Amino acid sequence: MKRIADNAVVIGGHSRNIGKTGVMAGLIRGLQNFGWTALKITQDGHGVSSPYGQSRGCAPTEHSFVLTEERNAHGGCDTCRFLAAGARRSLWLRVRREKLAQAFPAIDQALSRSEWVMIESNSVLELIEPRLCIMVLDCTQRDFKSSARRFLERADALAVVGPKLDTRKWPRLDARVFESKPQFPVSAENYESSQLCRFVRRQLGLPRAERLAEAASVG
């Protein structure tokens, strides 16, 4: 788990369908020279099926997790979008609730050769301390998941869908938590932000390939 944390950026969010995948794809597109491996984690309370689905006679509760790799950059699913944005690899972990820790040996092995990893998930923050955590917020959505409440303070920055952060829909949350963090507006059309890309690059430093090229030019 430590190996994953050392080179991981986590993209979380306070609710479903607010643009987490879009923000992550935008970062991958804007920072392609980091050579990202993308990982999407989906939790399900009723279990998961095998990669082959019911055609192999797999009941939904038969497996605690399934980890698959996307090969199609032209499809419509989230993992396809990551490849289309420029990720070198794109993985999808489907895992039963409360079983995420059991999946980590498989994740660790799958990511062992990845220089940088970007993970779409809130729950992964229960197990790792990533290099960077970005929380996606959409003030038009009243829902605020319990996992997002728990990990909001650990976010290094906020990606705000729309022009301005307005926390009045979440009166039970301390507004000072939001105000203490860098905020980057992202367009609801493409979820991209050059300012957020610059922030992430500054926090992570130059990718290894760029460091070597820079050192060679100085030498």
Side-chain angles (χ1 to χ4, degrees):
M1 287 188 283
K2 183 178 186 299
R3 178 167 33 179
I4 298 173
D6 287 344
N7 63 349
V9 174
V10 169
I11 309 298
H14 73 91
S15 187
R16 295 177 178 270
N17 302 318
I18 58 171
K20 296 187 296 296
T21 298
V23 169
M24 183 161 154
L27 284 171
I28 291 171
R29 187 176 298 109
L31 300 168
Q32 288 190 31
N33 51 356
F34 280 79
W36 298 102
T37 293
L39 171 63
K40 181 181 180 71
I41 297 178
T42 303
Q43 290 197 96
D44 187 283
H46 303 289
V48 294
S49 63
S50 76
Y52 307 102
Q54 298 299 322
S55 63
R56 290 292 183 94
C58 171
T61 57
E62 188 171 336
H63 303 282
S64 59
F65 71 90
V66 173
L67 180 64
T68 56
E69 180 161 358
E70 182 63 67
R71 305 290 185 181
N72 180 16
H74 304 290
C77 64
D78 293 347
T79 49
C80 299
R81 292 174 64 185
F82 297 147
L83 287 179
R88 292 183 181 176
R89 299 174 65 204
S90 181
L91 307 174
W92 183 22
L93 175 72
R94 288 164 285 171
V95 60
R96 294 176 62 184
R97 293 193 185 279
E98 313 301 333
K99 301 296 184 180
L100 184 56
Q102 292 184 13
F104 258 82
I107 298 173
D108 192 52
Q109 181 177 6
L111 301 179
S112 61
R113 297 184 179 180
S114 300
E115 184 171 1
W116 289 100
V117 179
M118 198 176 298
I119 305 173
E120 181 185 334
S121 171
N122 285 340
S123 55
V124 73
L125 294 171
E126 297 175 355
L127 301 172
I128 68 171
E129 186 72 42
R131 284 284 295 273
L132 201 61
C133 175
I134 309 296
M135 189 69 69
V136 180
L137 302 175
D138 182 345
C139 300
T140 66
Q141 302 294 324
R142 187 179 298 276
D143 176 54
F144 212 105
K145 295 192 295 185
S146 59
S147 59
R149 291 174 184 267
R150 291 200 307 273
F151 302 125
L152 179 61
E153 290 191 3
R154 289 175 56 186
D156 297 287
L158 307 176
V160 181
V161 179
K164 186 178 180 181
L165 181 65
D166 183 352
T167 61
R168 286 177 293 181
K169 284 198 174 182
W170 311 313
R172 295 183 179 181
L173 296 174
D174 188 346
R176 292 172 295 183
V177 177
F178 301 97
E179 295 166 357
S180 66
K181 301 179 183 300
Q183 300 174 18
F184 300 94
V186 296
S187 167
E189 296 180 358
N190 57 21
Y191 298 100
E192 294 185 5
S193 168
S194 58
Q195 292 181 334
L196 181 58
C197 285
R198 285 196 293 270
F199 172 81
V200 172
R201 179 183 292 277
R202 187 166 60 248
Q203 296 300 309
L204 300 183
L206 287 173
R208 181 174 181 273
E210 290 191 16
R211 293 198 304 269
L212 293 175
E214 187 176 79
S217 64
V218 173

